[in-house]
């Protein structure tokens, strides 16, 4: 069966009228369902055995507890003779691949990069994708085919929603020899060589590639030698026989295209890429997992500022905007430290030795651009991960030397003066505090005073080349 | 006993929205809204499919006749007891819609539609009906597909609805109405379910709210649906919440009227609003949500309105006394003058945003103030039988020229400027006669002429003094009477600037007739 019926029925007897075809792949097609909120994926496979296996797998996936993950999972299975399922319709979303390659007719790649949300949005989208994958891995499952075609992201540059599609890709780890589905360019070398089945590390390789590619607009394994070489060279590159494009010593596969990596990859992300495509290319065990990618991507996104001139975003460690060379403006940082009241008065701010000195433990650092509203999320405030970590808790806005704080989750948060002698509260009404360079600020407490919690110290930093 | 409804109950979102403005066919807009999660007991049922009818009863009958082979419009008309022309018209309509072929027999589309529209053949589908958890009544809604909406709980207990597109979700704070400890009402019967599906179909056709009764409701039985085919799939209901919202219309009235939307996307729902009001009596949380929407508490609003009314009355009294001195309090028409001034002050405070109905009320008050003034005048100087001046044996009362002559002669004798304004000169004698009787059932212009006729023989009549001061007073009075005509429907639209001089005219006229105050410069003569 290769053509879709006009109407399908789910196992509960609910009928769905199918409208236009939204996409079609090797296995099946996705149709919009009348009503505008659902889509139906219909799988075309004439083999009775494979159909039965797929049906069982889909039924199994539907039973999985994936509600907290950003995966467009099956809502209802379709009734025979149709093989497929009903899922949520991803309105206002597009494949991640739309952000990974400059359109051919685009005259200014930098302007195109910025128009797609720039560096910060790409980091946030990738971080949320990594969260979803890590959540799946945490349940003992693998997605098996992460690729820019299977990850959908918000069309609006102002939003950062992520959904993995094709829930039928979700599997338990498989063993070598079982045919594995992967997208060319994103399959781990051991998968390409059929030496392994899908597992969390093959997912990690695919994710590493798409993260690197989305940020730098260059495939980590496809350098000039591959682009200019015979087709066999690409096979060599993808199964790990060539060095990656930024190999520290081996320059045989350098890429002359793409954005300079230091502009778009933070120090930690550069390190992850080096591990993923260096030692991790041939030894899966040395590959960083997606949760590590998630943590570093979130951290990198937090450490970005907006350029008032070109509206691009860049790391606050840069002294000039890499997109337009505008000097970095004055900005503030919000350092998320740990506060443990059980240590006793004076020592609540947890510290760790760094060289011969002791420094406060920093869980995260958030950059605040003048005039821009930034959210402290559950991830920053309480260290929550996954989709729940994206929920905003407090909104911050820096205006010159004044910082406005407002609770957006209905909670009340304590502010304490640097000496601890005075207190105030952040509620749903805007509270303003003043920041001065080099002077300790009011501390924002994000938890109960008698338990270990995160506390935020703000610091105003001068702009320009300093 | 466990509570029937818990916060974790699934939430269904059928897209509540405002109704359309019939004049523009554009959907109305809200200025403020607050989402509520309204509880319902949901049953999965097998029931007739809900769909809008595409054929009316006559079209269906004619199509049926043609399907049976009777294609001659004369014979169709005879069989259906309708005129052959009407049968021919319907026949043509069906042909134009492609339901009848050139041979008069139904096309495939016509046959399909006929079968679908025939109740016996209505498809039975699996769907859901919703029961009110308090009363056990079935809501007149039947939905096949359930649209669940994501809900996020906040630390403060208020959930957030996640609406918008998947790519750009929008979070809306919502208030869940929890009914407390309720027993499960009896499950709905087949007749109730069929009635719910019919009323839903009716509401779809009218895009009306769910309390509108369908004509099918006149049948207590299930019509031609085989009730045995209607059944409950679940024997116990599923407690769910459906989303709706309370809103203030963008073009709201001054009273800050709020409304509630039908949870199923069919416009405004007075029933839900009444239910919300009922729940607000016991739920301070729900009441706070509404108060938050209106921007201040309902109690405060009531106090504000009372304070506003008191302040306007004080200003009105001050204005009356400024125009007519404090002795105005002794005038019998004092309250009418204050009422006029109240409307005047309110209109001035509202400025250009003063609604048309208030301006119409203002000119009506102006006319009533003058009527009260003449009523008071007649108390002291009764017109008695002056109407007989135009009811003589020599001339017919329909003789306008004669009557006009009598009116103008009297006016001139009293000291007024003539000729009289046309409307005054054409006052019918029976209106003058009516003004001479104390039952008060008279019109202003009739009273003015009666007073003029009476003043001719009464040297102490206040009209004589007024005429000495202002010979054009009758024109001024006629102007007020003319402006007062704007209270009638269909009159042209008023503006604040056009009605303000009328108030000054009333003050001047009352001052001249009562001997109080000084003539105001703002009067129009």
């Amino acid at each position: 069966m290769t053509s879709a019926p006009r109407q399908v029925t789910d196992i509960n007897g609910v009928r769905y009228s199918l409208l236009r075809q939204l996409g079609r792949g090797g296995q099946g097609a996705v149709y919009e369902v009348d009503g505008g909120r659902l889509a139906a994926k219909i799988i075309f496979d004439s083999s009775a055995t494979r159909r039965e296996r797929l049906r069982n797998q889909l039924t199994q996936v539907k039973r999985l507890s994936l509600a907290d993950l950003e995966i467009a999972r099956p809502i209802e299975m379709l009734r025979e003779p149709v093989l497929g399922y009903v899922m949520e319709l991803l309105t206002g979303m597009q494949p991640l691949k739309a952000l990974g390659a400059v359109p051919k007719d685009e005259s200014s790649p930098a302007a195109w990069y910025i128009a797609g949300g720039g560096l910060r949005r790409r980091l946030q989208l990738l971080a949320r994708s990594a969260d979803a994958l890590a959540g799946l891995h945490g349940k003992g499952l693998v997605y098996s085919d992460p690729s820019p075609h299977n990850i959908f992201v918000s069309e609006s540059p102002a939003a950062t929603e992520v959904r993995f599609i094709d829930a039928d890709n979700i599997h338990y780890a498989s063993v070598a020899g079982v045919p594995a589905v992967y997208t060319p360019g994103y399959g781990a070398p051991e998968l390409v060589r059929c030496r392994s089945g899908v597992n969390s590390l093959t997912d990690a390789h695919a994710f590493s590639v798409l993260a690197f590619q989305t940020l730098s607009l260059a495939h980590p394994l496809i350098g000039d030698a591959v682009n200019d070489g015979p087709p066999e060279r690409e096979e060599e590159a993808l199964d790990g026989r060539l060095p990656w494009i930024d190999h520290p010593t081996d320059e045989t596969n350098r890429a002359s295209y793409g954005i300079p990596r230091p502009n778009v990859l933070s120090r930690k992300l550069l390190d992850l890429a080096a591990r993923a495509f260096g030692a991790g290319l041939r030894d899966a065990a040395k590959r960083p997992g997606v949760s590590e990618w998630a943590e570093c991507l979130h951290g990198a996104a937090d450490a970005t500022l907006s350029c008032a001139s070109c509206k691009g975003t860049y790391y606050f460690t840069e002294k000039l905007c890499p997109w337009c060379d505008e000097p970095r403006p004055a900005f503030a940082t919000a350092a998320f430290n740990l506060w443990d009241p059980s240590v006793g008065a004076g020592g609540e701010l947890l510290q760790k030795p760094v060289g011969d000195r002791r420094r406060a433990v920093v869980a995260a650092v958030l950059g605040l651009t003048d005039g821009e509203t930034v959210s402290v999320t559950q991830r920053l405030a309480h260290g929550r991960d996954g989709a729940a970590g994206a929920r905003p808790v407090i909104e911050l806005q820096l205006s010159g030397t004044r910082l406005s704080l407002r609770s957006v989750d209905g909670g009340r948060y304590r502010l304490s003066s640097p000496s601890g002698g005075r207190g105030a509260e952040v509620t749903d009404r805007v509270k303003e505090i003043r920041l001065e360079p080099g002077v300790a600020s009011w501390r924002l407490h994000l938890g109960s005073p008698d338990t270990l919690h995160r506390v935020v110290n703000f610091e105003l930093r001068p702009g320009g080349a300093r | 006993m466990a509570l029937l409804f818990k916060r974790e109950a699934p939430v269904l979102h059928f897209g509540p929205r405002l109704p359309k403005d019939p004049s523009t066919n554009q959907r109305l807009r809200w200025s403020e809204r607050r989402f509520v999660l309204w509880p319902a007991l949901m049953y999965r049922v097998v029931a007739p499919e809900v769909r809008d009818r595409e054929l009316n009863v006559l079209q269906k009958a004619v199509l049926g006749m043609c399907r049976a082979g009777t294609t001659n419009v004369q014979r169709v008309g005879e069989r259906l007891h309708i005129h052959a022309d009407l049968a021919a018209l319907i026949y043509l309509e069906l042909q134009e819609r492609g339901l009848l072929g050139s041979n008069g027999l139904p096309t495939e589309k016509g046959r399909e539609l006929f079968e679908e529209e025939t109740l016996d053949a209505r498809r039975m589908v699996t769907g859901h009906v919703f029961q009110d958890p308090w009363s056990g009544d079935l809501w007149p809604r039947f939905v096949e597909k359930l649209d669940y909406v994501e809900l996020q709980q906040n630390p403060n207990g208020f959930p957030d609805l996640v609406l918008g597109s998947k790519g750009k979700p929008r979070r809306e704070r919502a208030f869940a109405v929890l009914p407390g400890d309720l027993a499960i009402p009896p499950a709905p019967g087949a007749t109730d379910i069929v009635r719910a599906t019919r009323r839903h179909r009716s509401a779809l056709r009218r895009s009306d709210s769910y309390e509108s009764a369908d004509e099918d409701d006149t049948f207590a039985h299930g019509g031609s649906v085989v009730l045995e085919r209607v059944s409950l799939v679940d024997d116990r209901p599923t407690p769910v919440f459906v989303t709706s919202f309370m809103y203030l219309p963008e073009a709201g009235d001054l009273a800050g009227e709020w409304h509630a939307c039908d949870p199923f996307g069919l416009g405004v729902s007075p029933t839900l609003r009444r239910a919300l009001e009922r729940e607000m009596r016991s739920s301070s949380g729900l009441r706070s949500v509404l108060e938050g929407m209106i921007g201040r508490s309902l109690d405060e609003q009531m106090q504000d309105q009372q304070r506003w009314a008191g302040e306007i009355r004080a200003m009105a009294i001050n204005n009356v006394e400024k125009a007519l001195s404090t002795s105005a309090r002794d005038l019998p028409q004092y309250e009418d003058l204050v009422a006029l001034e109240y409307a005047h002050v309110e209109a001035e405070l509202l400025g250009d945003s003063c609604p048309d109905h208030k301006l119409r009320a203002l000119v009506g008050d102006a006319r009533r103030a003058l009527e009260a003034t003449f009523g008071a005048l007649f108390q002291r100087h009764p017109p008695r039988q002056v109407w007989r001046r135009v009811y003589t044996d020599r001339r017919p009362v329909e003789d306008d020229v004669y009557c006009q002559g009598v009116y103008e002669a009297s006016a001139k004798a009293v000291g007024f400027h003539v000729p009289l304004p046309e409307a005054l000169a054409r006052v019918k004698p029976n209106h003058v006669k009516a003004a001479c009787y104390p039952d008060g059932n008279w019109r202003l212009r009739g009273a003015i002429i009666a007073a003029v006729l009476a003043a001719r023989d009464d040297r102490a009549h206040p009209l004589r003094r007024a005429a000495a001061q202002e010979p054009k007073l009758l024109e001024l009075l006629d102007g007020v009477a003319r402006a007062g005509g704007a209270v009638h429907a269909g009159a042209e639209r008023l503006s604040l600037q056009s009605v303000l001089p009328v108030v000054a005219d009333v003050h001047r006229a009352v001052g001249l007739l009562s001997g109080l105050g000084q003539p105001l410069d703002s009067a129009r003569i």
Side-chain angles (χ1 to χ4, degrees):
Chain A
M1 185 170 133
T2 53
S3 64
R6 280 193 309 171
Q7 204 168 63
V8 290
T9 309
D10 73 17
I11 51 167
N12 293 322
V14 179
R15 292 170 309 134
Y16 303 91
S17 297
L18 303 186
L19 304 177
R20 66 196 168 105
Q21 183 177 292
L22 300 173
R24 195 179 184 96
Q27 294 176 296
V30 178
Y31 296 86
E32 184 183 353
V33 168
D34 189 13
R37 296 171 64 88
L38 297 173
K41 176 158 184 182
I42 296 177
I43 296 159
F44 306 125
D45 198 326
S46 53
S47 156
T49 316
R50 282 201 300 270
R51 284 171 69 83
E52 188 55 31
R53 195 168 59 218
L54 259 173
R55 184 178 296 281
N56 288 341
Q57 195 215 329
L58 285 169
T59 308
Q60 200 174 34
V61 168
K62 187 183 168 305
R63 287 188 191 135
L64 293 171
S65 169
L66 304 175
D68 52 339
L69 299 180
E70 290 165 323
I71 293 171
R73 65 193 182 285
I75 294 171
E76 259 341 319
M77 296 298 296
L78 295 177
R79 193 180 270 180
E80 301 247 30
V82 177
L83 174 60
Y85 54 90
V86 179
M87 60 182 176
E88 59 181 352
L89 179 66
L90 301 181
T91 49
M93 301 190 93
Q94 62 182 358
L96 182 63
K97 69 177 178 188
L99 298 178
V102 186
K104 284 179 181 160
D105 54 351
E106 187 59 54
S107 58
S108 168
W112 172 84
Y113 196 90
I114 292 168
L119 174 63
R120 183 189 293 161
R121 179 166 181 261
R122 280 172 169 80
L123 289 166
Q124 288 170 336
L125 291 171
L126 289 167
R128 291 186 72 164
S129 306
D131 276 341
L133 266 186
L136 205 58
H137 293 170
K139 291 174 191 288
L141 298 162
V142 292
Y143 184 72
S144 78
D145 186 18
S147 81
H149 309 272
N150 287 341
I151 301 175
F152 273 60
V153 299
S154 302
E155 266 175 0
S156 165
T160 54
E161 296 299 315
V162 168
R163 288 285 188 290
F164 280 70
I165 63 163
D166 286 355
D168 39 308
N169 284 331
I170 295 172
H171 292 89
Y172 289 104
S174 68
V175 291
V178 176
V181 175
Y182 60 88
T183 303
Y186 300 90
E190 65 272 23
L191 210 54
V192 175
R193 287 188 233 154
C194 297
R195 289 186 185 165
S196 165
V198 291
N199 55 49
S200 63
L201 292 174
T202 59
D203 274 2
H205 173 83
F207 182 81
S208 308
V209 174
L210 70 90
F212 188 91
Q213 192 177 30
T214 306
L215 292 171
S216 69
L217 308 183
H219 191 288
L221 305 180
I222 312 288
D224 294 344
V226 176
N227 272 336
D228 303 336
E232 303 82 57
R233 191 72 56 80
E234 185 170 309
E235 281 177 32
E236 284 179 42
L238 296 180
D239 71 11
R241 281 179 281 157
L242 288 182
W244 76 296
I245 59 173
D246 289 346
H247 193 282
T249 54
D250 189 341
E251 300 190 351
T252 52
N253 195 18
R254 283 278 183 265
S256 58
Y257 68 104
I259 300 174
R261 262 54 91 196
N263 287 353
V264 288
L265 296 170
S266 65
R267 189 178 47 78
K268 284 186 178 176
L269 289 175
L270 283 170
D271 178 52
L272 284 187
R275 285 164 53 202
F277 309 120
L281 195 60
R282 289 178 189 163
D283 183 354
K286 291 185 175 165
R287 215 173 272 162
V290 285
S291 57
E292 202 175 344
W293 274 101
E295 190 183 333
C296 291
L297 286 162
H298 278 302
D302 292 339
T304 54
L305 299 177
S306 291
C307 174
S309 174
C310 70
K311 309 298 176 199
T313 43
Y314 59 98
Y315 295 114
F316 60 56
T317 48
E318 302 281 342
K319 294 181 174 55
L320 299 173
C321 169
W323 312 105
C324 69
D325 290 338
E326 179 82 4
R328 182 183 63 193
F331 68 104
T333 53
F336 291 75
N337 304 127
L338 299 179
W339 188 266
D340 187 357
S342 66
V343 176
E348 299 98 327
L349 191 68
L350 292 186
Q351 297 183 325
K352 65 175 180 182
V354 178
D356 55 350
R357 300 175 63 184
R358 291 181 68 78
R359 286 180 186 256
V361 176
V362 179
V365 180
L366 182 61
L368 305 172
T369 312
D370 196 4
E372 196 175 61
T373 301
V374 179
S375 290
V376 173
T377 58
Q378 291 268 1
R379 176 181 56 81
L380 289 165
H382 308 301
R384 294 191 68 174
D385 54 13
R391 290 189 204 159
V393 173
I394 291 174
E395 274 182 1
L396 305 173
Q397 191 181 33
L398 181 70
S399 300
T401 59
R402 292 193 318 276
L403 180 69
S404 304
L405 304 97
R406 188 172 73 91
S407 163
V408 288
D409 69 343
R412 304 170 86 89
Y413 298 93
R414 192 163 47 96
L415 280 169
S416 65
S417 64
S419 64
R422 287 184 297 152
E425 217 174 31
V426 175
T427 64
D428 57 358
R429 292 189 169 185
V430 173
K431 171 78 183 169
E432 272 193 3
I433 59 174
R434 190 170 287 278
L435 304 179
E436 287 180 51
V439 177
S441 74
W442 284 75
R443 281 188 182 128
L444 172 64
H445 293 262
L446 297 164
S448 172
D450 50 357
T451 57
L452 176 69
H453 60 267
R454 290 190 177 187
V455 63
V456 189
N457 285 291
F458 300 99
E459 189 174 347
L460 192 66
R461 294 169 186 263
R466 288 173 61 193
Chain B
M1 183 178 155
L3 288 175
L4 189 53
F5 282 88
K6 294 179 178 161
R7 288 188 186 280
E8 300 76 29
V11 180
L12 298 167
H13 180 69
F14 298 108
R17 53 183 169 240
L18 269 64
K20 283 183 176 172
D21 182 346
S23 59
T24 61
N25 206 30
Q26 299 286 313
R27 208 162 279 288
L28 295 170
R29 297 159 70 99
W30 46 264
S31 61
E32 285 283 335
R33 70 172 173 179
R34 294 290 185 276
F35 275 89
V36 289
L37 307 182
W38 193 252
L41 296 170
M42 181 176 75
Y43 282 91
R44 196 144 59 106
V45 299
V46 176
E49 181 185 27
V50 169
R51 47 176 294 166
D52 201 0
R53 282 186 188 148
E54 292 186 41
L55 296 174
N56 62 37
V57 65
L58 287 175
Q59 287 169 330
K60 204 188 302 183
V62 172
L63 191 60
M65 295 296 289
C66 294
R67 183 169 172 260
T70 307
T71 55
N72 180 298
V73 290
Q74 197 75 35
R75 291 184 62 191
V76 169
E78 284 168 14
R79 296 274 170 89
L80 296 178
H81 299 288
I82 59 174
H83 196 279
D85 289 350
L86 178 58
L89 180 72
I90 296 166
Y91 185 93
L92 277 175
E93 276 179 355
L94 295 171
Q95 273 196 332
E96 282 171 11
R97 289 177 61 182
L99 303 176
L100 284 180
S102 54
N103 57 1
L105 294 172
T107 59
E108 189 182 343
K109 183 182 167 192
R111 279 196 303 275
E112 276 179 15
L113 187 58
F114 181 80
E115 282 164 14
E116 282 173 9
E117 293 273 320
T118 308
L119 288 174
D120 275 338
R122 274 171 69 191
R123 275 190 292 191
M124 302 299 282
V125 292
T126 306
H128 302 82
V129 290
F130 300 86
Q131 190 180 40
D132 183 272
W134 288 278
S135 68
D137 294 340
L138 209 57
W139 294 356
R141 292 291 179 268
F142 175 81
V143 292
E144 286 186 54
K145 285 194 282 287
L146 298 179
D147 286 330
Y148 291 95
V149 66
E150 196 183 334
L151 207 64
Q152 287 184 352
Q153 293 291 345
N154 284 304
N156 62 358
F158 284 92
D160 277 350
L161 287 170
V162 184
L163 302 175
S165 68
K166 295 291 170 193
K168 197 173 181 188
R170 189 182 77 248
R171 283 169 179 77
E172 296 273 5
R173 189 70 37 101
F175 183 88
V177 178
L178 290 162
D181 192 6
L182 290 178
I184 300 178
T191 311
D192 300 327
I193 295 167
V194 171
R195 185 181 293 128
T197 64
R198 288 187 169 158
R199 291 182 66 188
H200 189 180
R201 190 180 59 211
S202 168
L204 280 177
R205 192 162 56 239
R206 299 173 188 179
S207 282
D208 207 343
S209 56
Y210 60 70
E211 51 266 48
S212 67
D214 190 3
E215 63 270 21
D216 292 341
D217 270 1
T218 52
F219 300 102
H221 55 76
S224 52
V225 172
V226 181
L227 290 179
E228 289 75 24
R229 293 172 65 198
V230 177
S231 63
L232 291 175
V233 175
D234 305 321
D235 55 351
R236 283 180 65 85
T238 307
V240 296
F241 289 105
V242 291
T243 62
S244 179
F245 58 80
M246 306 182 282
Y247 68 93
L248 291 171
E250 191 175 63
D253 50 34
L254 294 170
E257 188 71 13
W258 62 276
H259 305 276
C261 274
D262 173 36
F264 297 84
L266 293 174
V268 70
S269 170
T271 299
L272 182 60
R273 187 198 144 133
R274 284 195 292 276
L276 283 162
E277 283 176 331
R278 182 195 69 213
E279 286 308 299
M280 274 176 207
R281 285 185 218 126
S282 57
S283 167
S284 59
L286 181 59
R287 191 175 167 82
S288 303
V289 171
L290 175 69
E291 288 168 357
M293 178 177 76
I294 294 174
R296 50 195 166 154
S297 82
L298 296 177
D299 294 338
E300 272 178 13
Q301 201 177 53
M302 190 73 80
Q303 287 169 2
D304 281 355
Q305 287 217 337
Q306 287 169 349
R307 193 163 54 242
W308 159 267
E311 286 171 4
I312 291 181
R313 183 172 165 83
M315 288 173 75
I317 289 171
N318 184 49
N319 283 1
V320 169
E321 293 179 357
K322 199 161 74 178
L324 300 171
S325 80
T326 52
S327 301
R329 288 172 183 264
D330 300 329
L331 294 174
Q333 68 271 35
Y334 176 68
E335 281 303 325
D336 295 286
L337 293 167
V338 171
L340 166 64
E341 203 47 47
Y342 185 102
H344 172 212
V345 171
E346 194 179 25
E348 283 212 314
L349 288 172
L350 292 170
D352 291 337
S353 63
C354 183
D356 191 55
H357 71 87
K358 284 195 180 290
L359 295 176
R360 289 184 193 282
L362 171 59
V363 292
D365 286 339
R367 191 171 64 180
R368 268 190 295 280
L370 277 192
E371 286 170 353
T373 301
F374 276 89
L377 194 70
F378 290 160
Q379 292 285 322
R380 284 184 289 131
H381 301 273
R384 294 198 177 87
Q385 303 282 314
V386 294
W387 56 272
R388 289 189 182 279
R389 298 255 174 85
V390 283
Y391 279 83
T392 66
D393 295 338
R394 297 189 307 273
R395 308 291 290 241
V397 291
E398 295 83 14
D399 189 338
D400 290 345
V401 176
Y402 170 71
C403 292
Q404 188 174 338
V406 173
Y407 301 159
E408 288 195 338
S410 296
K412 192 174 180 182
V414 172
F416 288 117
H417 187 269
V418 288
L420 293 176
E422 190 180 353
L424 272 182
R426 289 182 177 276
V427 167
K428 294 189 181 306
N430 58 328
H431 290 179
V432 179
K433 186 178 178 182
C436 296
Y437 288 89
D439 60 3
N441 189 16
W442 43 262
R443 299 182 184 185
L444 180 57
R445 287 195 177 95
I448 294 169
I449 294 298
V452 168
L453 296 178
R456 181 174 182 172
D457 302 329
D458 183 355
R459 297 209 165 270
H461 199 285
L463 268 187
R464 281 186 168 267
R465 189 179 62 232
Q469 288 181 334
E470 183 49 80
K472 289 187 177 177
L473 176 64
L474 296 181
E475 290 171 30
L476 183 150
L477 295 173
D478 183 65
V480 176
R482 189 171 59 245
V487 295
H488 300 298
E492 66 178 293
R493 211 173 160 76
L494 296 171
S495 70
L496 180 60
Q497 294 310 314
S498 69
V499 301
L500 289 181
V502 177
V503 180
D505 288 349
V506 172
H507 283 161
R508 180 170 170 81
V510 172
L512 289 167
L513 292 171
S514 63
L516 297 176
Q518 297 296 316
L520 297 174
D521 294 338
S522 59
R524 287 184 292 177
I525 51 175

